[in-house]
Every structure is written in structure tokens, then in C-alpha cells.
Amino acid sequence: MLENTKIPSIMNAKDHIVTLIETEAVNSRLPYIKAARKVVNDPARRDLFLAAIGGHWKGKPPSDATLRRWRNPAKLALAGRFPNITAHEYKEALPYIPVKHRHREQNPVMRQACDQVWNKGVPRKTVAEQMGISLSTIYRWTKAPTKRKKLPDGYLDKARELLATGEHSIEIVAKLLRVPRSTLYRNLKRHFDAHSLTLQEAEVGAPC
């Protein structure tokens, strides 16, 4: 038990309790301050806390300002550089990185590390096992970017001409021109909005 642990100095006790705080922050997915409050208020760690705070304790929990002064400056500096850090530096800075950026599958550092491993020819399944990330995420990260289909030249003018006849709906025009209906609708709406018309008016042959 920590109560029976011999604490040789205040500095060693403080380093020990900061390590416990960092571990709690990572394991419980808590911000550093919340993890610190949880650790210092734990009765099982009271002797360690008293050794860390020395003769300055006045019987009340330490303030947030005091807990912040205990933070590891080197790791804090790494967290300040996030996301421009390496995967190793990310692990060191993890307790001080905002919780919303700690999830492995949402972290740019982990994605960068994944790309580096996969580009060496390591199979996706092995990459997933080594990094502790789901295989579906690895596939999503390493998937080749989708190329946008090039739209036919002058398709918007042709669409307006077809709609002006009043013989075709937007759905039919999209099929005739081989253009996604949503894309055609969005671009036509911009055009007709500029002319104070509605798409319904355009479909029945209203002049534009």
C-alpha cells in the first residue's frame, strides 16, 4: 500500500504523485486537473499526498493552480506542439492533450504513424494489431482518395434549355445529361435564385 511506502524526499513524492495523475488522466480519459483532484483526494494516497505537499498543507485540497504547477514541463511543452509531434512524443504528451484529441482513431499523429508503417509494405491487418486500431479504420485511412467525376462541359446551359421546354423534370434532365441529380439541383437552384425564379417555375417553362 502507498501508505507504507517510504518517501525519501518531497520532490520524489511529487514526481510519484504526478506520475499517478498522468496515468489516471490517460486510463480514465480525464483532463489533467480532474485526474489530479481524483488522485489527491483518494484516502489510499493520503500519505503520498502529504509527503508531496510538504509542510504547506492547511487541511484543504490543493487549489487548481497548485496542481497545475506540478505538471511535467517537458510533456506539457510537447502537448503545446500537438499535432506537430511524433507518435512517440504523442504518447509522452498524452495526459496533457485535450481529451477530445486522445482517441486513437481520431488522432492525426496515429494516422501519420499508420501511414508510415503501411507504406513499408506491412499488411493492413498487421498494422491494426500493432497499433491497436480497428481494421476498418486502417482501411479508411489507407484508402486511395476518390476521384470526382468530371461534369460535362456546358451541362448547366443544356439543363436550362431542356427545362425551358417544360417537357422534362429535373430527374429526367439529370439522367439525360448523366449528371448527379443533387449536383444539378444545387447548381440550378443557384442560377434560378439569381433570377428570382423557383425550380418549379423553371420546370414548366418559365423564361429565365
Side-chain angles (χ1 to χ4, degrees), residues 105-177:
E105 299 190 358
Q106 296 176 350
N107 195 279
V109 175
M110 298 303 293
R111 183 166 187 166
Q112 179 185 8
C114 166
D115 288 339
Q116 291 174 350
V117 175
W118 184 67
N119 288 333
K120 293 179 181 178
V122 180
R124 289 185 175 94
K125 185 175 181 180
T126 303
V127 175
E129 292 172 352
Q130 290 180 352
M131 303 190 68
I133 298 174
S134 67
L135 184 58
S136 61
T137 298
I138 298 297
Y139 269 99
R140 186 171 69 251
W141 283 356
T142 57
K143 183 176 64 175
T146 303
K147 294 183 178 179
R148 287 191 174 185
K149 182 180 178 182
K150 186 178 180 181
L151 299 173
D153 294 334
Y155 80 94
L156 200 55
D157 291 332
K158 294 176 183 177
R160 291 200 300 265
E161 292 173 4
L162 290 171
L163 288 172
T165 65
E167 299 176 359
H168 306 291
S169 66
I170 290 179
E171 288 80 1
I172 298 299
V173 171
K175 289 181 180 179
L176 290 173
L177 298 177

Side-chain angles (χ1 to χ4, degrees), residues 25 28 31 46 81 130 145 161 166 184 196 200 206:
S28 299
R46 178 53 57 87
R81 287 168 41 209
Q130 290 180 352
E161 292 173 4
L184 180 62
S196 300
Q200 288 73 21

Side-chain angles (χ1 to χ4, degrees), residues 11-61:
M11 186 57 66
N12 286 347
K14 189 176 294 183
D15 290 343
H16 190 176
I17 205 165
V18 168
T19 299
L20 291 175
I21 292 170
E22 292 173 349
T23 302
E24 185 67 34
V26 174
N27 292 344
S28 299
R29 290 182 58 79
L30 292 172
Y32 170 87
I33 288 298
K34 288 187 177 180
R37 292 183 194 136
K38 185 175 180 180
V39 169
V40 300
N41 290 325
D42 184 354
R45 296 175 174 133
R46 178 53 57 87
D47 288 350
L48 179 63
F49 163 67
L50 292 176
I53 206 165
H56 304 289
W57 192 51
K58 298 179 181 179
K60 296 181 180 180

Side-chain angles (χ1 to χ4, degrees), residues 69-78 96:
R69 285 196 294 271
W70 289 2
R71 295 178 295 185
N72 185 303
K75 296 179 180 180
L76 192 60
L78 289 176
Y96 303 100

Side-chain angles (χ1 to χ4, degrees), residues 1-6 43-48:
M1 295 295 291
L2 291 174
E3 295 91 331
N4 299 325
T5 301
K6 184 178 180 181
R45 296 175 174 133
R46 178 53 57 87
D47 288 350
L48 179 63

